[in-house]
Amino acid sequence: PPHLRLHRHPVLEPGPYPGDQGSGPAPVTLSGTLRQFPPKGEPLATDKKHHQMEKQSSALCFQVSSVMNYATIKYYDIANGPGVRTSVFVSGCRHHCPGCFNAVAWDFGYGKPFDKAVRNEVFASCQPDYIAGLSLLGGEPMEPENQRELLPFVRNFKALYPHKTVWCYSGYTWEQLTGTEPCAARCEVTDELLALLDVLVDGRFVEAQHDITLRFRGSSNQRLLDVPRSLAAGQPVWWEDEQVFATHTM
């Protein structure tokens, strides 16, 4: 049906080869089987079947057109990872930590759509050599709804800037996100998204453990984890900061 026809975003959608962002229409494979409507003027077998097909088409259209909201974007940020970075604060969080610095972003509907134009602005902002990378905060980037939207975005970021780092701040722990502890946030894209990250700052903000001397985190329970090394080791491995900050404090 016409309303299911999709086209590639020239910058955002990967092409057939590694690093190729593409420039033409992208083939789209949709999971499941969608019944075909009969030729024009030919009646459907039953009204019930017609109703089922309409529901199926509507649901499919909704799934491919959903857009995550973001609360704010901080360009030239030096507080949420090493160097100068672009930090995207997504909307939506179920933790509701007491003392949260960004409680307004708990609402999934807060802010503005993280649409093609905004994504391209973020990509463009990271082009200068002095930009060290991208940081994802919230809200909660690892809520399942946000993971599904962030995966293609981070995948394309890595294709554009393979030598820049991606940091992600999550109230979920490493053990929860990797499945060693039960967690509702794990979904079909979690493992792939984790594998694209360089550092995960994990754990909820705990007001009683708040410490302003900590580097790149708010409370002492949170960890700065080197994701590639952690995945290789099969257990959490701390990120190695510059020697002067070896204790992860300032």
Side-chain angles (χ1 to χ4, degrees), residues 119-181:
R119 295 192 297 268
N120 281 342
E121 286 178 10
V122 172
F123 288 145
S125 75
C126 294
Q127 185 173 7
D129 291 340
Y130 61 82
I131 300 296
L134 171 73
S135 293
L136 304 173
L137 308 92
E140 171 57 78
M142 300 306 284
E143 295 291 8
E145 300 92 327
N146 292 338
Q147 289 185 52
R148 296 181 181 107
E149 295 294 318
L150 287 172
L151 175 59
F153 170 68
V154 176
R155 187 191 294 135
N156 287 316
F157 178 88
K158 281 293 191 178
L160 286 169
Y161 307 114
H163 303 299
K164 296 180 187 279
T165 60
V166 178
W167 279 48
C168 180
Y169 285 73
S170 176
Y172 297 106
T173 64
W174 174 266
E175 291 77 10
Q176 290 174 320
L177 293 174
T178 55
T180 57
E181 294 181 3

Side-chain angles (χ1 to χ4, degrees), residues 33-77:
T33 300
L34 183 62
R35 295 189 186 97
Q36 297 296 314
F37 285 96
K40 185 176 180 180
E42 188 174 319
L44 287 166
T46 64
D47 290 340
K48 182 178 180 180
K49 184 176 181 181
H50 188 183
H51 179 66
Q52 289 174 339
M53 292 172 65
E54 286 186 328
K55 285 179 64 178
Q56 189 175 13
S57 297
S58 298
L60 191 54
C61 184
F62 174 77
Q63 289 169 7
V64 299
S65 63
S66 62
V67 177
M68 175 186 71
N69 275 18
Y70 72 98
T72 189
I73 297 173
K74 291 186 178 180
Y75 299 101
Y76 313 110
D77 186 12

